[in-house]
Amino acid sequence: MTTGPHTHVTTRSTYELSHLQALEAEAIYIMREVAAQFERPVLLFSGGKDSIVLMRLAEKAFRPSRFPFPVMHVDTGHNFPEVTAFRDQLVERLGERLIVASVQDSIDAGRVREQTGPRASRNRLQTTTLLDAIAEHWFDAAFGGARRDEERARAKERVFSFRDDFGQWDPKNQRPELWALYNGRIRRGEHVRVFPISNWTEMDVWQYLAQERLEVPSIYYAHTREVFARDGMLYATNEHIQLMDGEVPFQASVRYRTVGDMTCTGAVRSTASTLAEVVAEIAANRITERGETRADDRVSDAAMEDRKREGYF
């Protein structure tokens, strides 16, 4: 191209990231930062939608190589069978290493004591199992799928959330993360919880699942299930929950917004059987998923924060 003295040639990129592309790029950057700064990371995987997104992000960050860290599930032994089966299928398909840290093993070893009674749950027992597994394998960083919109205590987390040598979290003593600069320097025995999708919302997660055409466990979609009502929530009848006087099981069309221990995870009434219908349902809902479906978060206003201080996810 020939230009004269008065000719102006301007080149300008008009490419802009979409909302989901920006979130994806940030999460991939965080994952690569962890791989660069830490010696023994691990990806915590529950089989739920958020950890499924983490697995896809790890694929995009590190493929065609294998992940530079194993995948670990803290198994209460009271998980939904559909979720456990999905976990095994996904990890096998990806060809990654799976570590299962068992709450039952912690009980058998006398590390924790199982609760009894109608409201018994193994959910709080996961903390000891998690911390023991981190110590056993010398993990210095653990990816989690927590998001800031889930629960008010989670909104206090940094992307790099530091734990002391007892696995405890101090919300008033966290490092600044200005300009997306992450300081991963730790002392021996300490570790960091890392939340790559901290800035995502429940809607973002579902839209990303749709964009990437990712499968999720079937319990995320409406299905007929035998449930019973307790404290304003619907629980699936199962061998791990003891019914109380007046609690009568019945059939209902329900789905789950989050997955976890069957003893404390409630279902919501729903007819949403497709991704599009789930997204529409979420758009009309003004209650957070944990606020609507997790009994362990209703113990007190500070229930989640208290557990996180002790080392919970």
Side-chain angles (χ1 to χ4, degrees), residues 65-151:
S65 299
R66 294 183 65 187
F67 300 168
F69 41 75
V71 176
M72 184 168 75
H73 181 210
V74 179
D75 186 355
T76 67
H78 293 173
N79 297 302
F80 291 90
E82 300 97 322
V83 176
T84 303
F86 180 90
R87 174 202 72 188
D88 294 340
Q89 292 165 7
L90 178 61
V91 172
E92 181 179 4
R93 178 175 63 79
L94 294 178
E96 297 297 337
R97 176 188 171 201
L98 174 66
I99 298 171
V100 178
S102 169
V103 171
Q104 183 62 56
D105 289 348
S106 298
I107 294 170
D108 294 342
R111 293 285 293 142
V112 293
R113 179 178 297 178
E114 186 156 25
Q115 300 174 346
T116 59
R119 297 186 183 277
S121 174
R122 290 184 173 182
N123 199 53
R124 290 191 70 114
L125 306 185
Q126 294 179 86
T127 299
T128 297
T129 305
L130 171 63
L131 294 177
D132 285 351
I134 287 174
E136 176 187 351
H137 297 280
W138 293 91
F139 293 134
D140 53 6
F143 291 106
R147 308 185 320 272
R148 289 189 174 120
D149 71 323
E150 287 181 77
E151 202 275 342

Coordinates of all heavy atoms in Angstrom, one line a residue, residues 65-151:
S65 N -1.2 -31.4 28.2 CA -0.6 -32.2 29.3 C -1.7 -32.5 30.3 O -2.8 -32.0 30.3 CB 0.4 -31.3 30.0 OG 1.5 -30.9 29.1
R66 N -1.4 -33.5 31.2 CA -2.3 -33.8 32.3 C -2.2 -32.6 33.3 O -1.3 -31.8 33.3 CB -1.8 -35.1 33.0 CG -2.0 -36.3 32.1 CD -1.6 -37.6 32.8 NE -2.5 -37.8 33.9 CZ -2.3 -38.8 34.8 NH1 -1.3 -39.6 34.7 NH2 -3.2 -39.0 35.8
F67 N -3.2 -32.6 34.2 CA -3.2 -31.5 35.2 C -1.9 -31.7 36.0 O -1.5 -32.8 36.4 CB -4.4 -31.7 36.2 CG -5.7 -31.6 35.5 CD1 -6.9 -31.9 36.2 CD2 -5.9 -31.1 34.2 CE1 -8.1 -31.8 35.6 CE2 -7.1 -31.0 33.6 CZ -8.2 -31.4 34.3
P68 N -1.3 -30.6 36.4 CA -0.1 -30.6 37.3 C -0.5 -30.8 38.8 O 0.2 -30.3 39.7 CB 0.6 -29.3 37.1 CG -0.5 -28.4 36.7 CD -1.5 -29.2 36.0
F69 N -1.6 -31.5 39.0 CA -2.1 -31.7 40.4 C -3.1 -32.8 40.3 O -3.8 -33.0 39.3 CB -2.7 -30.4 41.0 CG -3.5 -29.6 40.1 CD1 -4.8 -30.0 39.7 CD2 -3.1 -28.4 39.5 CE1 -5.6 -29.3 38.8 CE2 -3.8 -27.7 38.7 CZ -5.1 -28.1 38.3
P70 N -3.3 -33.5 41.4 CA -4.4 -34.5 41.5 C -5.7 -33.9 41.8 O -5.8 -32.7 42.1 CB -4.0 -35.4 42.6 CG -3.2 -34.5 43.5 CD -2.5 -33.5 42.7
V71 N -6.8 -34.7 41.7 CA -8.1 -34.3 42.0 C -8.5 -35.0 43.3 O -8.2 -36.2 43.5 CB -9.1 -34.6 40.9 CG1 -10.6 -34.3 41.3 CG2 -8.8 -33.9 39.6
M72 N -9.1 -34.3 44.3 CA -9.5 -34.9 45.5 C -10.9 -34.6 45.9 O -11.4 -33.5 45.9 CB -8.5 -34.4 46.7 CG -8.8 -35.2 48.0 SD -7.5 -34.9 49.3 CE -7.9 -33.2 49.8
H73 N -11.6 -35.7 46.3 CA -13.0 -35.6 46.8 C -13.0 -36.0 48.3 O -12.5 -37.1 48.7 CB -13.9 -36.5 46.0 CG -15.3 -36.5 46.5 ND1 -16.2 -37.5 46.4 CD2 -16.1 -35.5 47.0 CE1 -17.4 -37.2 46.8 NE2 -17.3 -35.9 47.2
V74 N -13.5 -35.1 49.1 CA -13.8 -35.4 50.5 C -15.1 -36.1 50.6 O -16.2 -35.4 50.5 CB -13.7 -34.2 51.4 CG1 -14.0 -34.6 52.9 CG2 -12.3 -33.5 51.3
D75 N -15.2 -37.4 50.8 CA -16.4 -38.2 50.7 C -17.0 -38.5 52.1 O -16.3 -39.1 52.9 CB -16.0 -39.5 50.0 CG -17.2 -40.4 49.7 OD1 -18.3 -40.0 50.1 OD2 -17.0 -41.5 49.1
T76 N -18.2 -38.0 52.3 CA -18.8 -38.2 53.6 C -19.3 -39.6 53.8 O -19.6 -40.1 54.9 CB -20.0 -37.2 53.8 OG1 -21.0 -37.5 52.9 CG2 -19.6 -35.8 53.7
G77 N -19.5 -40.3 52.6 CA -20.2 -41.6 52.7 C -21.7 -41.5 52.6 O -22.4 -42.5 52.5
H78 N -22.2 -40.3 52.6 CA -23.6 -40.0 52.6 C -23.9 -39.1 51.3 O -24.8 -38.3 51.4 CB -24.1 -39.3 53.8 CG -24.0 -40.1 55.1 ND1 -24.3 -39.6 56.3 CD2 -23.7 -41.4 55.2 CE1 -24.1 -40.6 57.2 NE2 -23.8 -41.7 56.6
N79 N -23.2 -39.3 50.3 CA -23.4 -38.5 49.1 C -24.5 -39.1 48.2 O -24.8 -40.3 48.3 CB -22.1 -38.5 48.3 CG -21.0 -37.8 49.0 OD1 -21.1 -36.6 49.4 ND2 -19.9 -38.5 49.2
F80 N -25.0 -38.3 47.3 CA -26.0 -38.8 46.4 C -25.3 -39.8 45.4 O -24.3 -39.4 44.9 CB -26.6 -37.6 45.6 CG -27.5 -36.7 46.4 CD1 -27.0 -35.6 47.1 CD2 -28.8 -37.0 46.6 CE1 -27.8 -34.8 47.8 CE2 -29.7 -36.2 47.3 CZ -29.1 -35.1 48.0
P81 N -25.8 -41.0 45.3 CA -25.2 -41.9 44.4 C -25.0 -41.5 43.0 O -24.0 -41.8 42.3 CB -26.1 -43.2 44.5 CG -27.4 -42.7 45.1 CD -27.1 -41.5 45.9
E82 N -25.9 -40.6 42.5 CA -25.8 -40.1 41.1 C -24.5 -39.2 41.0 O -23.9 -39.2 39.9 CB -27.0 -39.3 40.7 CG -28.3 -40.0 40.8 CD -29.1 -39.8 42.1 OE1 -28.4 -39.8 43.1 OE2 -30.3 -39.7 42.0
V83 N -24.2 -38.5 42.1 CA -23.1 -37.6 42.0 C -21.8 -38.4 42.1 O -20.8 -38.1 41.4 CB -23.1 -36.6 43.2 CG1 -21.9 -35.7 43.2 CG2 -24.4 -35.7 43.0
T84 N -21.7 -39.4 43.0 CA -20.5 -40.2 43.1 C -20.2 -41.0 41.8 O -19.0 -41.0 41.3 CB -20.7 -41.3 44.2 OG1 -21.0 -40.6 45.4 CG2 -19.4 -42.1 44.4
A85 N -21.2 -41.5 41.1 CA -21.1 -42.2 39.8 C -20.6 -41.2 38.8 O -19.7 -41.5 38.0 CB -22.4 -42.8 39.4
F86 N -21.1 -40.0 38.8 CA -20.7 -39.0 37.8 C -19.2 -38.6 38.0 O -18.4 -38.5 37.1 CB -21.6 -37.7 37.9 CG -21.2 -36.6 37.0 CD1 -21.8 -36.6 35.7 CD2 -20.3 -35.7 37.3 CE1 -21.4 -35.5 34.8 CE2 -19.9 -34.7 36.5 CZ -20.5 -34.6 35.2
R87 N -18.8 -38.5 39.3 CA -17.4 -38.1 39.7 C -16.5 -39.2 39.0 O -15.5 -38.8 38.4 CB -17.3 -38.1 41.2 CG -15.9 -37.9 41.7 CD -15.7 -38.5 43.1 NE -15.8 -39.9 43.2 CZ -15.8 -40.7 44.3 NH1 -15.9 -40.1 45.4 NH2 -15.9 -42.0 44.2
D88 N -16.8 -40.4 39.3 CA -15.9 -41.5 38.8 C -15.8 -41.5 37.3 O -14.7 -41.7 36.7 CB -16.4 -42.8 39.3 CG -16.2 -42.9 40.8 OD1 -15.5 -42.2 41.4 OD2 -16.9 -43.8 41.4
Q89 N -16.9 -41.3 36.6 CA -17.0 -41.3 35.1 C -16.2 -40.2 34.6 O -15.4 -40.3 33.6 CB -18.4 -41.3 34.6 CG -19.2 -42.5 35.0 CD -20.7 -42.3 34.8 OE1 -21.2 -41.2 34.3 NE2 -21.5 -43.3 35.2
L90 N -16.3 -39.0 35.2 CA -15.6 -37.8 34.6 C -14.1 -37.9 34.8 O -13.3 -37.7 33.9 CB -16.1 -36.5 35.3 CG -15.5 -35.2 34.9 CD1 -15.7 -35.0 33.4 CD2 -16.0 -34.0 35.7
V91 N -13.7 -38.3 36.0 CA -12.2 -38.4 36.2 C -11.6 -39.5 35.3 O -10.5 -39.3 34.8 CB -12.0 -38.7 37.7 CG1 -10.5 -39.0 38.0 CG2 -12.4 -37.5 38.6
E92 N -12.3 -40.6 35.2 CA -11.8 -41.7 34.3 C -11.7 -41.2 32.8 O -10.7 -41.4 32.2 CB -12.7 -42.9 34.4 CG -12.2 -44.0 33.5 CD -13.1 -45.3 33.6 OE1 -14.2 -45.2 34.3 OE2 -12.8 -46.3 33.0
R93 N -12.7 -40.4 32.4 CA -12.7 -39.9 31.0 C -11.5 -39.0 30.8 O -10.9 -39.0 29.7 CB -14.0 -39.3 30.7 CG -14.1 -38.7 29.3 CD -15.5 -38.1 28.9 NE -15.8 -37.0 29.8 CZ -15.4 -35.8 29.6 NH1 -14.6 -35.5 28.6 NH2 -15.8 -34.8 30.4
L94 N -11.3 -38.1 31.8 CA -10.2 -37.2 31.6 C -8.8 -37.8 31.9 O -7.8 -37.2 31.6 CB -10.4 -36.0 32.6 CG -11.6 -35.1 32.4 CD1 -11.7 -34.1 33.5 CD2 -11.6 -34.5 31.0
G95 N -8.8 -39.0 32.5 CA -7.5 -39.6 32.7 C -6.7 -39.0 33.8 O -5.5 -39.0 33.8
E96 N -7.4 -38.4 34.8 CA -6.7 -37.7 35.9 C -6.6 -38.6 37.1 O -7.4 -39.6 37.3 CB -7.3 -36.4 36.2 CG -7.3 -35.4 35.0 CD -5.9 -35.0 34.6 OE1 -4.9 -35.1 35.5 OE2 -5.7 -34.6 33.5
R97 N -5.8 -38.3 38.1 CA -5.6 -39.0 39.3 C -6.6 -38.5 40.3 O -6.7 -37.3 40.6 CB -4.2 -38.8 39.9 CG -4.0 -39.5 41.2 CD -2.6 -39.1 41.8 NE -2.4 -39.5 43.1 CZ -1.6 -39.0 44.0 NH1 -0.8 -38.0 43.6 NH2 -1.5 -39.4 45.2
L98 N -7.4 -39.5 40.9 CA -8.4 -39.1 41.9 C -8.0 -39.7 43.3 O -7.6 -40.8 43.4 CB -9.7 -39.7 41.5 CG -10.9 -39.6 42.6 CD1 -11.2 -38.1 42.8 CD2 -12.1 -40.4 42.2
I99 N -8.0 -38.8 44.3 CA -7.8 -39.2 45.7 C -9.1 -39.0 46.4 O -9.8 -38.0 46.3 CB -6.8 -38.2 46.4 CG1 -5.4 -38.4 45.7 CG2 -6.6 -38.6 47.8 CD1 -4.4 -37.3 46.2
V100 N -9.6 -40.0 47.1 CA -10.8 -40.0 47.9 C -10.4 -39.9 49.4 O -9.9 -40.9 49.9 CB -11.7 -41.1 47.6 CG1 -13.0 -41.1 48.5 CG2 -12.1 -41.1 46.1
A101 N -10.7 -38.8 50.0 CA -10.5 -38.7 51.5 C -11.8 -39.0 52.1 O -12.8 -38.4 52.0 CB -10.0 -37.3 51.8
S102 N -11.8 -40.1 52.9 CA -13.1 -40.7 53.5 C -13.3 -40.2 54.9 O -12.5 -40.4 55.8 CB -13.0 -42.2 53.4 OG -14.1 -42.8 54.1
V103 N -14.5 -39.7 55.1 CA -15.0 -39.3 56.5 C -15.1 -40.6 57.3 O -14.8 -40.6 58.5 CB -16.3 -38.5 56.4 CG1 -16.9 -38.4 57.9 CG2 -16.0 -37.2 55.8
Q104 N -15.6 -41.7 56.6 CA -15.7 -43.0 57.4 C -14.4 -43.4 57.9 O -14.3 -43.9 59.0 CB -16.3 -44.0 56.4 CG -16.6 -45.4 57.1 CD -17.6 -45.3 58.2 OE1 -18.7 -44.8 58.0 NE2 -17.2 -45.7 59.4
D105 N -13.3 -43.2 57.2 CA -12.0 -43.6 57.7 C -11.6 -42.7 58.9 O -11.0 -43.2 59.8 CB -10.9 -43.4 56.5 CG -11.0 -44.4 55.4 OD1 -11.8 -45.4 55.6 OD2 -10.4 -44.2 54.4
S106 N -12.0 -41.5 58.9 CA -11.7 -40.6 60.0 C -12.5 -41.1 61.2 O -12.0 -41.0 62.4 CB -12.1 -39.1 59.7 OG -11.4 -38.6 58.6
I107 N -13.7 -41.5 61.0 CA -14.5 -42.0 62.1 C -13.9 -43.3 62.7 O -13.7 -43.5 63.9 CB -16.0 -42.3 61.7 CG1 -16.7 -41.0 61.3 CG2 -16.8 -43.0 62.8 CD1 -18.0 -41.2 60.6
D108 N -13.5 -44.2 61.8 CA -12.9 -45.5 62.2 C -11.6 -45.3 62.9 O -11.3 -46.1 63.8 CB -12.7 -46.4 61.0 CG -14.0 -46.8 60.3 OD1 -15.0 -46.7 60.9 OD2 -13.9 -47.2 59.1
A109 N -10.9 -44.3 62.6 CA -9.6 -44.0 63.2 C -9.7 -43.2 64.5 O -8.7 -43.0 65.2 CB -8.7 -43.2 62.3
G110 N -11.0 -42.8 64.9 CA -11.2 -42.1 66.1 C -10.8 -40.6 66.0 O -10.8 -39.9 67.0
R111 N -10.7 -40.1 64.8 CA -10.3 -38.7 64.6 C -11.6 -37.8 64.8 O -11.4 -36.7 65.2 CB -9.8 -38.5 63.2 CG -8.4 -39.1 62.9 CD -7.3 -38.3 63.6 NE -7.2 -37.0 63.0 CZ -6.9 -35.9 63.6 NH1 -6.8 -35.9 65.0 NH2 -6.8 -34.7 63.0
V112 N -12.7 -38.3 64.5 CA -14.0 -37.6 64.7 C -15.0 -38.6 65.2 O -14.9 -39.8 65.1 CB -14.5 -37.0 63.4 CG1 -13.6 -35.9 62.9 CG2 -14.7 -38.1 62.3
R113 N -16.0 -38.0 65.8 CA -17.1 -38.8 66.4 C -18.4 -38.6 65.6 O -18.8 -37.4 65.5 CB -17.3 -38.5 67.9 CG -18.5 -39.3 68.5 CD -18.6 -38.9 70.0 NE -17.4 -39.3 70.8 CZ -17.2 -39.0 72.0 NH1 -18.2 -38.4 72.7 NH2 -16.1 -39.4 72.7
E114 N -19.0 -39.7 65.2 CA -20.3 -39.5 64.4 C -21.4 -39.1 65.3 O -21.6 -39.6 66.4 CB -20.6 -40.8 63.7 CG -21.8 -40.7 62.8 CD -21.7 -41.8 61.7 OE1 -21.1 -42.8 61.9 OE2 -22.3 -41.5 60.6
Q115 N -22.2 -38.2 64.7 CA -23.4 -37.7 65.4 C -24.5 -38.8 65.4 O -24.5 -39.6 64.5 CB -23.9 -36.4 64.8 CG -22.9 -35.3 64.9 CD -23.4 -34.0 64.2 OE1 -24.4 -34.1 63.4 NE2 -22.8 -32.9 64.4
T116 N -25.5 -38.7 66.2 CA -26.6 -39.6 66.2 C -27.9 -38.8 66.3 O -27.9 -37.6 66.7 CB -26.6 -40.6 67.4 OG1 -26.5 -39.9 68.7 CG2 -25.3 -41.5 67.3
G117 N -29.0 -39.4 66.0 CA -30.3 -38.7 66.1 C -30.8 -38.3 64.8 O -30.1 -38.4 63.7
P118 N -32.1 -37.8 64.7 CA -32.7 -37.4 63.4 C -31.9 -36.3 62.7 O -32.0 -36.2 61.5 CB -34.1 -36.9 63.9 CG -34.3 -37.5 65.2 CD -33.0 -37.6 65.9
R119 N -31.2 -35.4 63.4 CA -30.5 -34.3 62.7 C -29.0 -34.6 62.6 O -28.3 -33.7 62.3 CB -30.8 -33.0 63.5 CG -32.2 -32.6 63.6 CD -32.4 -31.2 64.2 NE -33.8 -30.8 64.4 CZ -34.5 -30.3 63.4 NH1 -33.9 -30.0 62.2 NH2 -35.8 -30.0 63.6
A120 N -28.6 -35.8 62.7 CA -27.2 -36.2 62.6 C -26.8 -35.9 61.2 O -27.5 -36.2 60.2 CB -27.0 -37.6 63.0
S121 N -25.5 -35.4 61.1 CA -24.9 -35.2 59.7 C -23.4 -35.3 59.8 O -22.8 -35.0 60.9 CB -25.3 -33.8 59.2 OG -24.6 -33.5 58.0
R122 N -22.9 -35.8 58.7 CA -21.4 -35.9 58.7 C -20.8 -34.6 58.0 O -19.6 -34.6 57.9 CB -21.0 -37.1 57.9 CG -21.3 -38.4 58.6 CD -20.8 -39.6 57.7 NE -20.9 -40.8 58.4 CZ -20.4 -42.0 57.9 NH1 -19.8 -42.0 56.7 NH2 -20.5 -43.1 58.6
N123 N -21.6 -33.6 57.7 CA -21.0 -32.5 57.0 C -19.9 -31.8 57.7 O -18.9 -31.5 57.1 CB -22.2 -31.5 56.7 CG -21.8 -30.6 55.5 OD1 -21.4 -31.0 54.4 ND2 -21.9 -29.3 55.7
R124 N -20.1 -31.5 59.0 CA -19.0 -30.8 59.8 C -17.8 -31.7 59.9 O -16.7 -31.2 60.1 CB -19.6 -30.4 61.1 CG -20.6 -29.3 61.1 CD -20.9 -28.8 62.5 NE -19.7 -28.0 63.0 CZ -19.7 -26.7 63.3 NH1 -20.8 -26.0 63.0 NH2 -18.6 -26.1 63.7
L125 N -18.0 -33.0 59.9 CA -16.8 -33.9 60.0 C -15.9 -33.8 58.9 O -14.7 -34.3 59.0 CB -17.3 -35.3 60.2 CG -18.4 -35.6 61.3 CD1 -18.7 -37.1 61.4 CD2 -17.9 -35.0 62.6
Q126 N -16.3 -33.3 57.8 CA -15.4 -33.2 56.6 C -14.2 -32.3 56.8 O -13.1 -32.6 56.2 CB -16.2 -32.5 55.4 CG -17.3 -33.4 54.9 CD -18.0 -32.6 53.7 OE1 -17.6 -32.7 52.6 NE2 -19.0 -31.9 54.0
T127 N -14.3 -31.4 57.8 CA -13.2 -30.5 58.0 C -11.9 -31.2 58.4 O -10.8 -31.0 57.9 CB -13.5 -29.4 59.0 OG1 -14.6 -28.6 58.5 CG2 -12.4 -28.5 59.3
T128 N -12.1 -32.1 59.4 CA -11.0 -32.9 59.9 C -10.4 -33.8 58.8 O -9.2 -33.9 58.7 CB -11.4 -33.8 61.1 OG1 -11.8 -32.9 62.2 CG2 -10.3 -34.7 61.6
T129 N -11.3 -34.4 58.1 CA -10.8 -35.3 57.0 C -10.0 -34.5 55.9 O -9.0 -35.0 55.5 CB -12.1 -36.0 56.3 OG1 -12.8 -36.7 57.3 CG2 -11.6 -37.0 55.2
L130 N -10.5 -33.3 55.6 CA -9.8 -32.5 54.6 C -8.4 -32.1 55.1 O -7.4 -32.2 54.4 CB -10.7 -31.2 54.3 CG -10.0 -30.2 53.5 CD1 -9.6 -30.7 52.1 CD2 -10.8 -28.9 53.4
L131 N -8.4 -31.6 56.4 CA -7.1 -31.1 56.9 C -6.1 -32.3 57.0 O -4.9 -32.1 56.8 CB -7.3 -30.4 58.3 CG -8.1 -29.1 58.2 CD1 -8.3 -28.6 59.6 CD2 -7.4 -28.1 57.3
D132 N -6.6 -33.5 57.4 CA -5.7 -34.6 57.5 C -5.2 -35.0 56.2 O -4.0 -35.4 56.0 CB -6.5 -35.8 58.1 CG -6.7 -35.7 59.6 OD1 -6.1 -34.8 60.2 OD2 -7.5 -36.5 60.2
A133 N -6.0 -34.9 55.1 CA -5.6 -35.3 53.8 C -4.6 -34.3 53.3 O -3.6 -34.6 52.6 CB -6.8 -35.4 52.8
I134 N -4.8 -33.0 53.6 CA -3.8 -32.0 53.1 C -2.5 -32.2 53.8 O -1.4 -32.1 53.2 CB -4.4 -30.6 53.5 CG1 -5.5 -30.2 52.5 CG2 -3.3 -29.5 53.4 CD1 -6.2 -28.9 52.8
A135 N -2.5 -32.6 55.1 CA -1.2 -32.8 55.8 C -0.6 -34.1 55.3 O 0.7 -34.1 55.1 CB -1.5 -32.9 57.3
E136 N -1.4 -35.1 55.0 CA -0.8 -36.4 54.6 C -0.1 -36.3 53.3 O 1.0 -36.9 53.1 CB -1.9 -37.5 54.5 CG -1.5 -38.8 54.0 CD -2.6 -39.8 53.7 OE1 -3.8 -39.5 54.1 OE2 -2.4 -40.8 53.1
H137 N -0.7 -35.5 52.3 CA -0.1 -35.4 51.0 C 0.8 -34.2 50.8 O 1.2 -33.9 49.7 CB -1.2 -35.4 50.0 CG -2.1 -36.7 49.9 ND1 -1.6 -37.8 49.3 CD2 -3.3 -37.0 50.5 CE1 -2.6 -38.8 49.4 NE2 -3.6 -38.3 50.1
W138 N 0.9 -33.4 51.9 CA 1.7 -32.2 51.8 C 1.2 -31.2 50.8 O 2.0 -30.5 50.2 CB 3.2 -32.6 51.6 CG 3.9 -33.3 52.7 CD1 3.9 -34.7 52.8 CD2 4.5 -32.8 53.9 NE1 4.6 -35.0 54.0 CE2 4.9 -33.8 54.7 CE3 4.7 -31.5 54.3 CZ2 5.6 -33.7 55.9 CZ3 5.4 -31.3 55.5 CH2 5.8 -32.4 56.3
F139 N -0.1 -31.1 50.7 CA -0.6 -30.1 49.7 C -0.4 -28.7 50.3 O -0.6 -28.5 51.4 CB -2.1 -30.4 49.5 CG -2.4 -31.6 48.8 CD1 -3.4 -32.5 49.2 CD2 -1.7 -32.0 47.6 CE1 -3.7 -33.7 48.5 CE2 -2.0 -33.2 46.9 CZ -3.0 -34.0 47.4
D140 N 0.1 -27.8 49.4 CA 0.3 -26.4 49.8 C -0.7 -25.5 49.2 O -0.7 -24.3 49.5 CB 1.7 -26.0 49.6 CG 2.1 -26.2 48.1 OD1 1.3 -26.6 47.3 OD2 3.3 -25.9 47.8
A141 N -1.6 -26.0 48.3 CA -2.6 -25.1 47.7 C -3.8 -26.1 47.3 O -3.5 -27.1 46.8 CB -2.1 -24.4 46.5
A142 N -5.0 -25.6 47.6 CA -6.2 -26.4 47.3 C -7.2 -25.6 46.5 O -7.7 -24.6 47.1 CB -6.8 -27.0 48.5
F143 N -7.5 -25.9 45.3 CA -8.5 -25.2 44.5 C -9.9 -25.6 45.0 O -10.2 -26.8 45.2 CB -8.4 -25.6 43.0 CG -7.2 -25.2 42.3 CD1 -6.2 -26.0 41.9 CD2 -7.1 -23.8 41.9 CE1 -5.1 -25.6 41.2 CE2 -6.0 -23.4 41.2 CZ -5.0 -24.3 40.9
G144 N -10.7 -24.6 45.2 CA -12.1 -24.9 45.5 C -13.0 -24.1 44.6 O -12.6 -23.1 44.0
G145 N -14.3 -24.5 44.5 CA -15.3 -23.9 43.6 C -16.2 -22.9 44.3 O -17.2 -22.6 43.7
A146 N -15.8 -22.4 45.4 CA -16.7 -21.4 46.1 C -16.8 -20.1 45.3 O -15.9 -19.7 44.7 CB -16.1 -21.1 47.5
R147 N -18.0 -19.5 45.4 CA -18.3 -18.2 44.8 C -18.7 -17.2 45.8 O -19.4 -17.6 46.8 CB -19.3 -18.4 43.7 CG -19.1 -19.5 42.7 CD -20.2 -19.5 41.6 NE -21.5 -19.2 42.2 CZ -22.3 -20.1 42.7 NH1 -22.0 -21.4 42.6 NH2 -23.5 -19.8 43.2
R148 N -18.5 -16.0 45.6 CA -18.8 -14.9 46.6 C -20.4 -14.7 46.7 O -20.8 -14.2 47.7 CB -18.2 -13.6 46.2 CG -16.7 -13.6 46.3 CD -16.1 -12.2 46.2 NE -14.7 -12.2 46.5 CZ -13.7 -11.9 45.6 NH1 -14.0 -11.5 44.4 NH2 -12.5 -11.9 46.0
D149 N -21.1 -15.2 45.7 CA -22.6 -14.9 45.8 C -23.3 -16.1 46.6 O -24.5 -16.0 46.8 CB -23.2 -14.8 44.4 CG -23.2 -16.1 43.7 OD1 -22.2 -16.9 43.8 OD2 -24.2 -16.4 42.9
E150 N -22.6 -17.1 47.0 CA -23.2 -18.3 47.6 C -23.7 -17.9 49.0 O -24.8 -18.3 49.4 CB -22.2 -19.4 47.7 CG -21.9 -20.1 46.5 CD -21.0 -21.3 46.7 OE1 -21.4 -22.3 47.2 OE2 -19.7 -21.1 46.4
E151 N -22.8 -17.2 49.8 CA -23.1 -17.1 51.2 C -22.2 -15.9 51.7 O -21.1 -15.7 51.2 CB -22.8 -18.4 52.0 CG -23.4 -18.6 53.3 CD -22.6 -17.9 54.4 OE1 -21.5 -17.6 54.2 OE2 -23.2 -17.7 55.5

